[in-house]
Amino acid sequence: MIHALFSGVITFFIAVAVGSPIVNYLRRQKIGKEISEYLPEHQHKAGTPTFGGFIIWLPTFVVTAVAVDWWKHQSILLPLGMIGITMAAGFVDDLGTLQHRAQKGLSWRFKITFTALFAVAAAVVL
């Protein structure tokens, strides 16, 4: 248990350390969200940096993959796989919501279906 808590603390500090430089880079590159014209009350959020999930998911994935002897404890592969799958889905969704793009983010129906299918698959594996 101490090992897991220590890994969580390391992940937190890595996320805090890389968070500000990543957000600053995204702002400099003008990588921000496009807001739907149907939500005029949200227009003040236009240009907000996106891809912030990497600040959480990537350190979690890396620290978990390194900190755990996954070749001995193969049960960690399921959570690592779910982190990777949801990180990829978030990337695709954020990529679609960037400003100056014709494509839009993933629909809520797709995201719910996608998450439900992988949750069921994870439950079956468990």
Side-chain angles (χ1 to χ4, degrees), residues 21-32 49-52:
I22 288 174
V23 169
N24 290 336
Y25 173 78
L26 294 171
R27 284 188 177 137
R28 280 193 312 274
Q29 298 299 316
K30 295 183 171 58
I31 300 175
T50 189
F51 296 108

Side-chain angles (χ1 to χ4, degrees), residues 85-119:
I85 288 166
T86 56
M87 188 169 57
F91 177 80
V92 170
D93 186 39
D94 283 352
L95 193 62
T97 63
L98 292 179
Q99 291 177 322
H100 313 298
R101 289 189 148 247
Q103 176 190 2
K104 298 296 177 197
L106 301 174
S107 73
W108 66 270
R109 288 181 185 171
F110 178 83
K111 288 187 265 189
I112 293 290
T113 304
F114 178 84
T115 304
L117 288 174
F118 279 100

Side-chain angles (χ1 to χ4, degrees), residues 34-107:
E34 174 99 10
I35 305 299
S36 170
E37 70 249 11
Y38 302 112
L39 298 170
E41 66 273 7
H42 289 243
Q43 289 305 317
H44 68 280
K45 295 180 183 181
T48 299
T50 189
F51 296 108
F54 279 111
I55 296 170
I56 302 298
W57 289 119
L58 195 56
T60 302
F61 185 84
V62 170
V63 169
T64 302
V66 170
V68 175
D69 297 333
W70 54 270
W71 49 93
K72 291 180 186 174
H73 305 285
Q74 293 179 352
S75 62
I76 197 65
L77 294 177
L78 180 63
L80 280 176
M82 294 303 287
I83 289 171
I85 288 166
T86 56
M87 188 169 57
F91 177 80
V92 170
D93 186 39
D94 283 352
L95 193 62
T97 63
L98 292 179
Q99 291 177 322
H100 313 298
R101 289 189 148 247
Q103 176 190 2
K104 298 296 177 197
L106 301 174
S107 73

